[in-house]
Amino acid sequence: MTSDRSAITAESASGENAERVSDRRRDGVRVKFLLTGIGMTLLTSYFAVAGVLATMIASARGAPLSLPAVLVAALPGWLATFQVPLTLTGVSFTVPPLLPTILVMWLIASASLRVARRSRARRPKQALWVILAMGLSHAVCGSGIALLADGLHLPARAEPVEAFLWCGAVTVAAATAGLLGRCGLLYVVWERVGEQAWRDLRIGVLTTTAVLGVGALVLATAVCLSLPEILAVLMRIGSAGDAFGSTVLSVLYLPGAVLAGWSFSTGVGLSMGDLAFRPMGSSLGALPEVPLLAILPGQGPAPWWAAVLVLPAAVGGVVGWTCRHVHENPYRRMRTIALAALVATASMSAGAMVVGGRLGGGGVDPITLHPWMLAVATFCWIALPAAAIAWFAGPGWQAAAAEQAGGSAEHESVVGAEGTGDVGNGAEDESTGRGGGSTPGEDDIEDGESGEGETEGGSGGDAEVASVHENAPEDDDTAEDEDGGLVENPEGGDPSEDAEALLDRLDIELAGTDPVEFDDDIDHHG
């Protein structure tokens, strides 16, 4: 007996040691994937900026092209892609183009998603490590470039603290967006906010998309109607290389022009120095010879400017028509419309703050879209027409009174049932639209337990859990068994026991995997 116990103890100790070694090797593989993703993101974005600068310098007339000069100039250019405020020969420059920022964010989001896939990261805490590593590495790199530019006495410089904050914030936002559908982050948000609030947020996102579409429509219309002026500006620039460089510069500022198009359609407009451009009450003047600015007339307002005021009202009308049946209670429909308008307002005002700023001196400095006035105008243009249409086109206040009366009757019946002990545990919670059991948190998702399915109300609780998961946002991996979702149990046993057994089996399989084969398998699936 003693020898058998010793053998069992030795075998258990050797198994635990092998499991620790296997865990260390798997962590080493994941760290390698993470470092590779960070390095590729930094190098790709930097050399892309250097390539754009080299193309513009080579196309300019009489500008000498030097590889060391391009690589050095790409350092503050890389900071500009993260919207870091720069100082050009002592003059503030806080209006970098927005298109490179969007492309860099897309690159970071794609790299973060690839790292998570190859590392088999499927839980919110695993995604958090990827997001923090990405953000911290880019923030440190940005502050390091700012210190290097100051040490080399470059014409374009930045404050290290501002570089750290802007690079880190942009990277964290991009990495979070890339991992929303991978590691159950959307599911965690959905669990916290409730079904009704989730629907309201979706309507807010769609409203923001419609607002951006209106801005793009206004910009496209202005470009089409101003083609002769744009061609005239390109002809006056001189050489084909200079015209090409100014065209590239205009393209880089197009996303900011879309936001300016929406600001113009709301009546707020934009200001460039002493000049103001709005549908009514403009203050016009001469502008620099840039193709994008040729869409703004220098003599008088265009005849079609007043017609753009119809577009924001149309967006509000579409939102109201869409929300007319989201709830029978008109007051809850008003809440949905208010939340949608707030989402669009916050998005547009934040974009206006980013787009506006100092342009390095001159007659068109500073540039502003009036963020606070734009916020008020955006909310009013969307909320007021939407509220009017949703109120009169949907069920009236009688539905709200009926719902309140039904709620009172249901409450009385529940109180009476409690006195007789006939109340089950599967009663639906009106505030969230879910079962009366506790809401599964982040720990439940990580442990892969199906806590929602363990109700004492019998089949009613099971049907309720099934309806909850049918309404859940569709992520890449949260619906799979190995990702911590519900585990079907055709034999009628306890589903939590099957989930634990499945996780134990997966841990045993991973513990016995050779690190080289694990690396190859991850490469194959990644």
Side-chain angles (χ1 to χ4, degrees):
M1 293 292 295
T2 305
S3 60
D4 292 340
R5 291 180 180 176
S6 301
I8 293 174
T9 304
E11 183 179 356
S12 176
S14 62
E16 292 178 357
N17 293 332
E19 185 177 355
R20 293 195 195 98
V21 172
S22 179
D23 290 340
R24 293 194 195 99
R25 291 177 178 176
R26 287 199 301 270
D27 292 341
V29 172
R30 292 188 175 98
V31 171
K32 183 187 72 173
F33 289 153
L34 181 59
L35 294 178
T36 302
I38 293 173
M40 292 300 296
T41 303
L42 293 173
L43 292 177
T44 302
S45 58
Y46 171 73
F47 284 112
V49 172
V52 172
L53 291 177
T55 302
M56 297 184 67
I57 293 174
S59 61
R61 180 175 52 184
L65 179 62
S66 174
L67 181 59
V70 170
L71 294 178
V72 172
L75 294 175
W78 186 86
L79 294 178
T81 60
F82 289 87
Q83 297 295 311
V84 178
L86 300 177
T87 301
L88 304 177
T89 61
V91 182
S92 179
F93 176 76
T94 61
V95 194
L98 198 58
L99 182 59
T101 305
I102 296 175
L103 295 178
V104 167
M105 292 183 70
W106 173 81
L107 177 64
I108 294 172
S110 302
S112 301
L113 179 59
R114 182 171 177 79
V115 168
R117 283 179 175 174
R118 300 188 70 185
S119 301
R120 293 180 178 177
R122 301 179 184 275
R123 302 173 181 176
K125 283 188 177 180
Q126 294 173 335
L128 180 62
W129 287 111
V130 176
I131 293 171
L132 291 179
M134 281 283 184
L136 186 59
S137 60
H138 284 74
V140 172
C141 185
S143 59
I145 290 177
L147 292 174
L148 181 61
D150 186 57
L152 296 177
H153 303 288
L154 298 180
R157 304 180 188 179
E159 293 293 332
V161 176
E162 293 181 345
F164 183 91
L165 295 177
W166 276 99
C167 293
V170 172
T171 304
V172 166
T176 303
L179 296 178
L180 278 179
R182 170 68 191 180
C183 299
L185 298 180
L186 277 179
Y187 185 81
V188 171
V189 175
W190 180 82
E191 283 285 330
R192 299 300 188 269
V193 301
E195 183 179 354
Q196 182 63 37
W198 180 262
R199 183 192 305 170
D200 297 346
L201 288 175
R202 290 181 61 184
I203 295 175
V205 172
L206 294 177
T207 303
T208 305
T209 304
V211 165
L212 293 175
V214 169
L217 178 62
V218 172
L219 176 62
T221 303
V223 170
C224 292
L225 296 178
S226 304
L227 282 178
E229 289 80 4
I230 294 175
L231 294 177
V233 169
L234 292 175
M235 294 297 294
R236 288 195 296 268
I237 288 178
S239 65
D242 294 340
F244 173 78
S246 61
T247 302
V248 171
L249 184 63
S250 299
V251 170
L252 295 179
Y253 277 96
L254 280 181
V258 171
L259 296 176
W262 169 255
S263 179
F264 184 83
S265 66
T266 60
V268 176
L270 68 153
S271 299
M272 304 176 66
D274 297 332
L275 307 180
F277 302 90
R278 55 181 67 95
M280 292 175 288
S282 298
S283 176
L284 308 180
L287 294 171
E289 297 288 339
V290 179
L292 184 60
L293 297 181
I295 64 177
L296 301 174
Q299 301 298 328
W304 57 274
W305 280 14
V308 300
L309 296 175
V310 180
L311 297 177
V315 173
V318 171
V319 173
W321 186 258
T322 303
C323 298
R324 72 189 189 279
H325 291 309
V326 295
H327 205 282
E328 293 184 356
N329 191 328
Y331 299 105
R332 294 194 179 184
R333 294 201 298 270
M334 298 303 103
R335 185 185 66 179
T336 299
I337 291 173
L339 182 58
L342 284 175
V343 171
T345 298
S347 302
M348 293 301 103
S349 58
M353 291 179 182
V354 173
V355 170
R358 308 288 301 184
L359 199 58
V364 294
D365 183 40
I367 297 177
T368 178
L369 300 184
H370 309 287
W372 301 112
M373 294 176 59
L374 180 61
V376 175
T378 300
F379 184 85
C380 293
W381 276 114
I382 295 176
L384 297 181
I389 293 177
W391 181 274
F392 293 105
W397 60 270
Q398 294 87 351
E403 180 184 357
Q404 184 177 3
S408 300
E410 182 179 357
H411 176 70
E412 293 176 359
S413 63
V414 170
V415 171
E418 286 180 352
T420 60
D422 294 334
V423 178
N425 294 329
E428 183 179 1
D429 188 359
E430 294 181 0
S431 62
T432 60
R434 299 191 180 118
S438 60
T439 302
E442 183 177 340
D443 296 335
D444 297 332
I445 296 176
E446 292 176 0
D447 295 334
E449 297 178 355
S450 54
E452 296 177 354
E454 297 177 359
T455 60
E456 299 176 2
S459 59
D462 296 337
E464 191 174 326
V465 171
S467 65
V468 168
H469 281 268
E470 287 178 359
N471 295 327
E474 296 181 359
D475 293 341
D476 290 346
D477 300 293
T478 52
E480 298 179 7
D481 294 346
E482 59 181 297
D483 300 332
L486 290 177
V487 181
E488 297 182 359
N489 188 11
E491 300 179 358
D494 189 0
S496 62
E497 295 179 359
D498 291 343
E500 294 177 358
L502 177 60
L503 289 175
D504 292 340
R505 180 170 60 83
L506 290 176
D507 292 338
I508 292 173
E509 291 178 358
L510 289 176
T513 304
D514 184 76
V516 177
E517 296 179 358
F518 176 77
D519 196 352
D520 296 337
D521 186 51
I522 291 181
D523 291 335
H524 174 70
H525 288 84

